[in-house]
Amino acid sequence: MAGYAFLLIALMTTAAYLLGRGRGARIWAGGDGSKVHSLPGYHGAFVAAWVGIPAFILGLFWLFLQGPIIDQFLIASLPTSMTDGATASQINLLVSEIKNVAAGQVFKEPTPDIVAAAERYELWGQIARWAMIVVALAVMVVALSFARSRLAPRFRARNAFEHVLSGLMIFCSVVAIATTIGIVSSLVFEAWRFFTMVPVTEFLFGLRWEPQIALRDDQVAGLGAFGAIPVFTGTILIAFLAMLVATPIGIFTAIYLVEYSSDRARKIIKPIMEILAGVPTVVYGFFAVLTVAPAIREFGGLIGIAVSPNSAIAAGGVMGIMIIPFISSLSDDALNAVPRSMRDGSLALGATPSETMIKVLLPAALPGIVGGVLLGVSRAIGETMIVVMAAGLIASLTLNPLDSVTTVTVQIVTLLIGDTEFDSPKTLAAFALGLVLFLVTLCLNVIALRIVRKYREQYD
Amino acid sequence: MNDASMSAEMTANLSKSLDFDQAAKPKVVAKDVNVFYGEKQALFDVSIDIVEKSVTAFIGPSGCGKSTFLRCINRMNDTIEGCVVKGGISLDGDDIYAPSLDVVELRARVGMVFQKPNPFPKSIYENVSYGPRIHGLARGKTELDEIVESSLKRAGLWEEVKDRLNEPGTGLSGGQQQRLCIARAIAVSPEVILMDEPCSALDPIATARIEELIDELRANFTIIIVTHSMQQAARVSQRTAFFHLGILVELGATEQIFTNPSDKRTQDYITGRFG
């Protein structure tokens, strides 16, 4: 039904455009050319914007508000015997039962009261949907007649449409900003709830992480400990191993591509790097868990070293491979941004290509490369799928890359899977971890972008 | 005028200008140089002698191949993909395109100053000491200091920068940056210095300063300068070569080229008929 409403709005908008353009064309033909301000198309667009946009916004608001308002009516209309003394969650349960009955999903025989309520619910829904179409139509007709009455030879439809467009762009950017604010505030809010149950100091400095506490009385589980240090060290260890792989390989690849490779080699290598960048992380996860981890374990066995099946080095190494294209393409950009005249100046003094690279190009591109590496680190820290598959679950406090460690992202995933209840520290801990993760990657990104930007100013 | 008579006239001009300089020793000798950028030919059979310890100016309209030829002399064209150089160029009798020749050594003997000042984003001191360091010209810090000081002095920059050798070279003014680049080239003690429109990015005062400097450097170096400004060529050079459409049209003493050119195209160019 809502779909029909929006289809109607779209049709009306198109019709409004055609009407406006037709009117504009008549004005254009009637005027003596120089006196008419805007082309017919702008008149059409102006009328269409007036007809379409308010009705569309109205429709959206209607859809958002319709549900809660009907729910309120529904609760108010229930016999007092059903709602008296009930808690908010019991009422919610009742409402969803009514909705289920209305939708024809009957799980147990409903009481007559509920059947009656379900019928009312159905009816109100119908009324609301029809009302929406009627109101939207009315708004569009009013807007159409208003907008058409504005059209005149000297009317500045072109400028007015410019305002509409800039408004549209502002709206789109506001969507992104508002979403960010929403995500951050939900993180902060839930993390704050967690910190009312577990002290911040214990979370930040505690050395034991055993979050699998009982959610119900009959479950057998640990008492729980929420010291996140082992999780942080695990994350840092894996990210460090990843960067150990990605940084040198990525930078050397970039150097090779920029300075040494022939055109033909570049044409082959670049697309392959792009394929590497396009592999889904879950596939890297398979690769880590099915190929790399067993290989490292076997190799460890050969030389007599015990390697855990979920070793940090397997997860970190594969994550490093995932980050290589990221670092190499950012370093590539940084090296290419160094003006050609620098390289020519050095070569003309009789420096070899590698002397030129080490003494002139790399120092000049260093800020850009460092920025790229920092962005790589923030990706390594936030990467989830590879570590969920290949890293361990037990938070052990170790820096041995052959041991199994866990990461912040893995813990967030495991804490939120399965039976969850959003008022126990177990689930809320995920938000606290998420907040820390967010702050760390935010800082890294800000620093990296600042370094990159500062560097750009040097040559532009 | 048909092609045959034109080339005959050209050869006559060339031999005439060679006669003129018979006393001077040629430093760089080019014979039938052809340069191709992929399919496109940029230079056609250029043969030229560059006289030692003098200034030779290359003039001609844009795209005439004068910079291309300049870049053949220190083989900077090697860095351009698809660029092929045919023919022979020799420096003191050594073929610089011979497989046995080390490009790195050649570039230490033939320095270059570019159109736009391009100091490295390093300190003034490091800019000048860069060449001596990579070629191992100095034993120890004191010797390196001496090279830096004498190079900056010869480039006429010492008085202006002696108190701030550790400041970045990119912080200098355009004219100072270009003199820094000249000092950087001198520091390697080259025999030939190539200058590719060294004043085109500078104001008239800085240009005058560089021109004075070129005149002083002539005592010790063989200088080849590409320029768009005919007045500059007249002011700084002893010999001038006029390039047009990839052909060396005329080569002779600067005075003769500007007062009594033997080729009609040279005459048209210097009187401002085209270019």
Side-chain angles (χ1 to χ4, degrees):
Chain A
M1 203 66 193
Y4 288 123
F6 284 107
L7 187 67
L8 180 73
I9 292 174
L11 286 175
M12 282 291 286
T13 309
T14 317
Y17 173 77
L18 294 174
L19 272 175
R21 199 182 59 178
R23 180 86 181 252
R26 253 171 284 131
I27 292 173
W28 190 260
D32 50 36
S34 64
K35 288 255 173 78
V36 182
H37 181 276
S38 301
L39 287 170
Y42 282 113
H43 286 105
F46 171 76
V47 178
W50 261 99
V51 169
I53 294 172
F56 184 74
I57 293 172
L58 178 87
L60 282 187
F61 270 100
W62 197 289
L63 283 183
F64 275 122
L65 296 179
Q66 168 183 323
I69 290 175
I70 291 181
D71 283 359
Q72 284 308 315
F73 277 124
L74 193 64
I75 293 165
S77 75
L78 289 176
T80 45
S81 61
M82 288 172 78
T83 50
D84 264 359
T87 62
S89 55
Q90 278 170 319
I91 288 179
N92 272 341
L93 214 60
L94 206 60
V95 169
S96 54
E97 189 186 349
I98 293 169
K99 284 181 187 170
N100 283 337
V101 171
Q105 297 166 322
V106 182
F107 299 108
K108 62 176 185 190
E109 201 50 44
T111 62
D113 277 339
I114 291 200
V115 173
E119 278 163 8
R120 275 199 302 278
Y121 177 78
E122 189 84 328
L123 179 70
W124 286 339
Q126 287 287 346
I127 292 171
R129 286 187 282 271
W130 278 108
M132 176 171 122
I133 289 184
V134 171
V135 171
L137 208 57
V139 166
M140 285 190 286
V141 169
V142 171
L144 178 66
S145 58
F146 170 73
R148 273 198 62 164
S149 72
R150 299 273 311 271
L151 300 185
R154 291 306 302 157
F155 176 63
R156 300 178 180 175
R158 194 177 174 193
N159 304 19
F161 187 65
E162 198 63 29
H163 286 303
V164 172
L165 271 190
S166 71
L168 187 72
M169 285 173 232
I170 291 172
F171 171 76
C172 289
S173 53
V174 166
V175 167
I177 295 170
T179 315
T180 314
I181 293 174
I183 291 173
V184 173
S185 54
S186 88
L187 263 183
V188 170
F189 178 70
E190 301 289 344
W192 181 75
R193 275 177 66 197
F194 171 74
F195 289 130
T196 58
M197 297 177 210
V198 176
V200 183
T201 45
E202 191 198 320
F203 175 72
L204 286 181
F205 304 112
L207 298 180
R208 271 179 56 236
W209 179 260
E210 281 153 23
Q212 301 297 342
I213 57 172
L215 290 178
R216 295 190 309 274
D217 292 339
D218 55 342
Q219 276 182 330
V220 179
L223 284 173
F226 292 96
I229 287 282
V231 183
F232 294 153
T233 53
T235 308
I236 292 168
L237 176 65
I238 288 190
F240 175 76
L241 291 169
M243 296 318 289
L244 215 57
V245 173
T247 310
I249 297 182
I251 292 177
F252 284 135
T253 309
I255 291 176
Y256 173 71
L257 287 178
V258 170
E259 197 61 14
Y260 294 94
S261 69
S262 66
D263 250 2
R264 245 182 69 217
R266 203 171 311 135
K267 267 182 201 142
I268 298 168
I269 294 169
K270 275 234 157 182
I272 293 179
M273 296 295 278
E274 271 152 33
I275 292 173
L276 201 59
V279 175
T281 51
V282 69
V283 176
Y284 282 110
F286 294 154
F287 180 60
V289 91
L290 298 178
T291 314
V292 179
I296 291 175
R297 200 162 181 220
E298 257 174 52
F299 181 72
L302 278 178
I303 57 173
I305 299 173
V307 180
S308 142
N310 294 319
S311 59
I313 196 168
V318 172
M319 194 194 280
I321 293 169
M322 180 199 81
I323 298 172
I324 288 171
F326 194 69
I327 293 199
S328 84
S329 85
L330 283 170
S331 308
D332 196 329
D333 290 348
L335 285 170
N336 272 322
V338 179
R340 207 193 144 77
S341 64
M342 292 291 129
R343 183 184 346 173
D344 283 352
S346 173
L347 291 176
L349 282 169
T352 62
S354 59
E355 282 165 350
T356 303
M357 178 51 71
I358 294 166
K359 297 197 171 175
V360 176
L361 296 186
L362 273 184
L366 195 64
I369 294 174
V370 170
V373 170
L374 285 182
L375 288 176
V377 173
S378 90
R379 271 197 78 173
I381 290 177
E383 166 53 37
T384 308
M385 211 57 223
I386 296 175
V387 279
V388 164
M389 295 173 81
L393 288 177
I394 309 297
S396 48
L397 187 57
T398 173
L399 286 179
N400 178 1
L402 303 177
D403 265 353
S404 161
V405 294
T406 191
T407 72
V408 172
T409 47
V410 172
Q411 286 308 310
I412 292 176
V413 170
T414 47
L415 289 174
L416 293 180
I417 299 181
D419 268 350
T420 48
E421 193 176 59
F422 277 82
D423 48 13
S424 97
K426 180 196 160 190
T427 28
L428 290 177
F431 291 94
L433 286 175
L435 185 66
V436 173
L437 191 64
F438 168 74
L439 289 178
V440 171
T441 49
L442 179 74
C443 289
L444 279 173
N445 286 355
V446 168
I447 294 169
L449 289 177
R450 289 203 127 192
I451 292 175
V452 171
R453 198 172 308 143
K454 196 177 163 201
Y455 154 73
R456 290 241 163 95
E457 285 165 0
Q458 256 188 13
Y459 292 113
D460 278 358
Chain B
M1 190 190 284
N2 65 32
D3 279 356
S5 69
M6 198 158 85
S7 63
E9 191 188 347
M10 231 175 72
T11 325
N13 287 341
L14 273 180
S15 53
K16 202 162 93 191
S17 58
L18 286 182
D19 288 343
F20 177 85
D21 290 309
Q22 214 138 48
K25 187 180 154 206
K27 180 76 181 171
V28 179
V29 177
K31 196 140 177 47
D32 298 331
V33 174
N34 287 280
V35 178
F36 303 84
Y37 290 119
E39 297 289 297
K40 198 176 154 279
Q41 185 162 6
L43 281 182
F44 300 85
D45 293 328
V46 172
S47 300
I48 191 170
D49 289 359
I50 307 288
V51 178
E52 191 172 32
K53 304 222 165 127
S54 70
V55 179
T56 304
F58 291 175
I59 60 168
S62 298
C64 67
K66 54 193 192 301
S67 287
T68 299
F69 182 66
L70 189 78
R71 293 166 66 92
C72 289
I73 301 173
N74 66 345
R75 286 183 60 179
M76 279 302 280
N77 281 335
D78 290 13
T79 62
I80 297 169
E81 255 175 78
C83 179
V84 178
V85 179
K86 285 184 181 152
I89 301 178
S90 62
L91 176 65
D92 281 340
D94 306 330
D95 180 9
I96 65 167
Y97 280 89
S100 60
L101 181 119
D102 181 10
V103 177
V104 168
E105 253 174 71
L106 170 73
R107 290 185 189 148
R109 289 174 67 189
V110 183
M112 188 164 189
V113 176
F114 294 84
Q115 189 169 356
K116 239 180 93 193
N118 60 345
F120 302 130
K122 298 169 181 278
S123 74
I124 294 169
Y125 182 91
E126 281 173 324
N127 261 289
V128 181
S129 63
Y130 182 84
R133 266 200 188 130
I134 56 176
H135 294 297
L137 298 183
R139 264 183 235 100
K141 172 94 173 109
T142 25
E143 227 176 300
L144 194 60
D145 287 349
E146 277 164 24
I147 294 180
V148 170
E149 187 179 336
S150 71
S151 307
L152 283 170
K153 275 182 177 156
R154 288 163 92 178
L157 193 61
W158 176 250
E159 288 305 318
E160 290 155 69
V161 301
K162 64 181 174 191
D163 299 323
R164 44 176 179 150
L165 289 176
N166 289 318
E167 282 172 35
T170 40
L172 297 173
S173 74
Q176 288 174 325
Q177 287 190 15
Q178 195 61 298
R179 276 180 280 148
L180 178 63
C181 291
I182 294 175
R184 185 174 74 181
I186 294 174
V188 196
S189 322
E191 298 154 34
V192 180
I193 301 177
L194 310 176
M195 297 190 174
D196 190 357
E197 297 179 38
C199 302
S200 65
L202 304 182
D203 64 66
I205 294 172
T207 302
R209 193 83 188 70
I210 302 269
E211 286 179 7
E212 258 171 58
L213 178 60
I214 291 172
D215 205 46
E216 287 162 20
L217 292 174
R218 172 160 71 93
N220 297 304
F221 304 96
T222 306
I223 294 173
I224 306 173
I225 178 171
V226 164
T227 176
H228 262 125
S229 149
M230 281 176 280
Q231 290 90 333
Q232 184 170 62
R235 281 192 299 260
V236 300
S237 72
Q238 283 74 53
R239 300 216 313 157
T240 297
F242 172 62
F243 285 78
H244 183 50
L245 300 174
I247 297 165
L248 173 61
V249 177
E250 188 168 356
L251 168 71
T254 301
E255 217 183 80
Q256 177 245 317
I257 295 274
F258 281 98
T259 54
N260 183 25
S262 41
D263 193 286
K264 182 156 185 320
R265 285 167 293 177
T266 318
Q267 173 134 31
D268 286 350
Y269 182 69
I270 60 169
T271 53
R273 220 56 83 66
F274 70 90

